[in-house]
Amino acid sequence: MIKKILITFSLLYLAAIWLAYPLQYLPVYIPIYVPGYISVLSAITFFMYAWDKRQAKRSSHTKVNRTPERTLQLLALFGGWPGALLAQQLLRHKSQKRRFIIVLWLCVLVNVAAMGGLYFFV
C-alpha cells in the first residue's frame, strides 16, 4: 500500500509541475525549464540508484565502485527526489536504511516547501 502511495506521489508531483506552466499557476519570471530540469534530474537519479543496485549485487563477487550515499542524497536535494522515491520503491534499493530514508524525506520536504513557497508567496 505504501509503495503505491509513494509512487503515485512522485508521479503526481511531476505531473503537477508540468501542468503548472500551461495553467499559469507559477509566476511568469520562474524559468520555463524548471519542469524539464526536475524531470531530467529525476531520471538521472533513478538511473544512479539502478546503477548502484547493480553494483551492490556485483560487489558480492568482485570489488566494484559504488555510488556514495551522499551523491544520491544530493541528487534528491537538487530536485531529483521523485526519481529517488520511484527507484527506492521499484528497485527496492536503499529502502531499509533509516538514516538514508530520513535524509531523503528531508530533501522531499525542502523541495515541496520551495515549490509551495513559489506558488503561495510569490
Side-chain angles (χ1 to χ4, degrees), residues 13-71:
Y13 180 83
L14 289 172
I17 60 167
W18 276 101
L19 289 174
Y21 281 95
L23 298 176
Q24 299 176 349
Y25 283 120
L26 289 178
V28 177
Y29 60 84
I30 303 283
I32 190 70
Y33 61 80
V34 170
Y37 164 80
I38 292 173
S39 298
V40 168
L41 195 58
S42 291
I44 290 169
T45 305
F46 184 91
F47 287 118
M48 291 294 287
Y49 269 76
W51 175 259
D52 190 52
K53 172 83 175 195
R54 181 173 181 245
Q55 295 298 83
K57 286 182 178 179
R58 291 182 59 206
S59 68
S60 63
H61 306 301
T62 61
K63 185 172 172 104
V64 294
N65 289 329
R66 299 274 310 273
T67 305
E69 286 185 355
R70 181 174 289 177
T71 301

